[in-house]
Amino acid sequence: MATRMFENKEHASYYQKYRFSPPQEIQDMIFSYLQEKLSKPYELAVDVGCGTGQSTVMLASLFKKVLGTDISEAQIEEANKTHKLPNTTFRALPAEEVPVDDASVDLITACAAVHWFDIAKFLKEVDRILKPRGCLAFYTYLPHLEVHYKDRSEQMCKVISEVSDHLNKYQHQKVNIVESGYKGVFEDIPYPDKLRKENVKAKITMPLSHLLGLVQSFSMFQKYREHEPEKAKEYIKTTEQRFLEIMGVSSSETEVDVWFTFVVVLASKPK
């Protein structure tokens, strides 16, 4: 059974504001793999577990039609409010039921999402909808971030590591699939033409306020806030103050470099 973790409107609002588009390194990896396997023109891409659409809109320039789906109506509402592209549609649907024809999809993607699905059922649906030589791209970043600022990187990384440790008890067991680097997901894909790339590093520069917003968009923080709302609110304030003191600045709009470690799973359906 799929796991529903991102349902309420407040969470969807955090998700829309603070989640980021896939880094260029990841986009290049996906699109170069697709171009090796399948010739243009590309007709249809589907982004499942699309959240508020950050991972969907990157597909719009390459495909005639793009469909983004998510089981959360609140997430899809945010996606439709934020992204107005003539060839892109967002619909509230489970990942395991994609309303397209058999063998009609050139590329199916899932960003930081596959671990929430009923994976066996989802992979059957992927096999149904992919064209021969069509591709899948499942990718996620690991929950261990690095934060760098001038010569204070060691102290900054220590704080974000402690945040991760603090939230660990609220982590859903399905996040273990992420921690494993999607090894099980990779093994379950029934295609011989597949690869898994680990330790793909990407740097995203963002204001400190956005880093704190990103943390608050995580499922484990949402669970923390659900159980202890006042403590969760205070914890973010305290963490912000710790960062500002280390940085020697007063504004949380000061930018920091956040390093993410991604794992990318790519595969192509046989002819």
Side-chain angles (χ1 to χ4, degrees):
M1 181 180 292
T3 304
R4 305 181 71 143
M5 294 291 291
F6 305 91
E7 297 290 307
N8 69 66
K9 289 192 173 186
E10 186 177 12
H11 193 183
S13 178
Y14 270 100
Y15 211 93
Q16 189 281 317
K17 188 172 182 180
Y18 298 114
R19 290 293 174 112
F20 49 86
S21 297
Q24 194 62 48
E25 297 94 324
I26 304 299
Q27 296 187 40
D28 291 346
M29 194 179 297
I30 293 169
F31 295 145
S32 64
Y33 183 83
L34 175 67
Q35 288 162 12
E36 285 175 16
K37 306 300 178 183
L38 203 60
S39 299
K40 292 180 179 179
Y42 302 130
E43 292 292 321
L44 176 61
V46 178
D47 184 32
V48 286
C50 70
T52 51
Q54 288 92 330
S55 57
T56 313
V57 294
M58 74 173 190
L59 304 168
S61 64
L62 210 60
F63 294 85
K64 186 176 179 181
K65 291 183 180 178
V66 177
L67 171 64
T69 73
D70 199 282
I71 201 167
S72 166
E73 291 185 5
Q75 297 274 351
I76 291 299
E77 184 179 332
E78 286 287 344
N80 278 317
K81 282 195 300 187
T82 306
H83 307 293
K84 306 289 186 183
L85 296 168
N87 66 337
T88 302
T89 304
F90 294 99
R91 293 183 63 183
L93 296 163
E96 302 82 3
E97 299 172 21
V98 183
V100 301
D101 293 338
D102 295 357
S104 63
V105 173
D106 297 291
L107 175 68
I108 183 164
T109 61
C111 173
V114 158
H115 48 286
W116 300 117
F117 303 163
D118 179 330
I119 293 173
K121 191 175 178 183
F122 172 62
L123 289 176
K124 285 182 181 178
E125 184 71 338
V126 169
D127 189 57
R128 180 186 73 79
I129 68 177
L130 274 183
K131 293 177 179 178
R133 297 194 64 79
C135 296
L136 62 83
F138 306 152
Y139 57 104
T140 188
Y141 52 89
L142 303 183
H144 311 294
L145 313 181
E146 293 183 14
V147 184
H148 295 262
Y149 181 77
K150 296 184 177 179
D151 61 350
R152 323 282 166 80
S153 295
E154 185 176 346
Q155 296 159 281
M156 299 287 281
C157 286
K158 184 174 184 292
V159 172
I160 200 67
S161 177
E162 289 173 2
V163 169
S164 180
D165 291 344
H166 184 78
L167 297 178
N168 189 58
K169 66 179 178 179
Y170 298 102
Q171 182 170 291
H172 194 282
Q173 62 183 9
K174 285 204 170 185
V175 178
N176 293 335
I177 299 170
V178 177
E179 298 272 14
S180 75
Y182 276 7
K183 286 179 183 176
V185 174
F186 177 75
E187 290 166 2
D188 288 344
I189 293 169
Y191 306 150
D193 188 351
K194 59 183 178 179
L195 60 91
R196 185 174 68 94
K197 296 192 176 185
E198 294 183 280
N199 297 314
V200 180
K201 303 288 187 181
K203 180 183 79 171
I204 299 177
T205 300
M206 63 181 74
L208 176 63
S209 62
H210 278 235
L211 171 62
L212 296 167
L214 176 66
V215 169
Q216 291 174 83
S217 78
F218 292 162
S219 61
M220 57 279 276
F221 186 86
Q222 290 294 314
K223 189 61 67 176
Y224 178 31
R225 189 161 73 174
E226 183 182 312
H227 281 79
E228 300 184 89
E230 291 305 316
K231 284 187 178 180
K233 184 178 178 180
E234 189 59 34
Y235 186 74
I236 285 295
K237 285 183 179 178
T238 302
T239 300
E240 177 183 37
Q241 195 56 43
R242 289 181 70 193
F243 275 129
L244 290 172
E245 287 175 4
I246 290 168
M247 295 163 70
V249 299
S250 59
S251 172
S252 60
E253 296 311 299
T254 306
E255 290 189 332
V256 296
D257 292 331
V258 184
W259 282 88
F260 296 83
T261 302
F262 283 82
V263 59
V264 183
V265 172
L266 301 167
S268 178
K269 183 177 177 178
K271 284 185 180 180

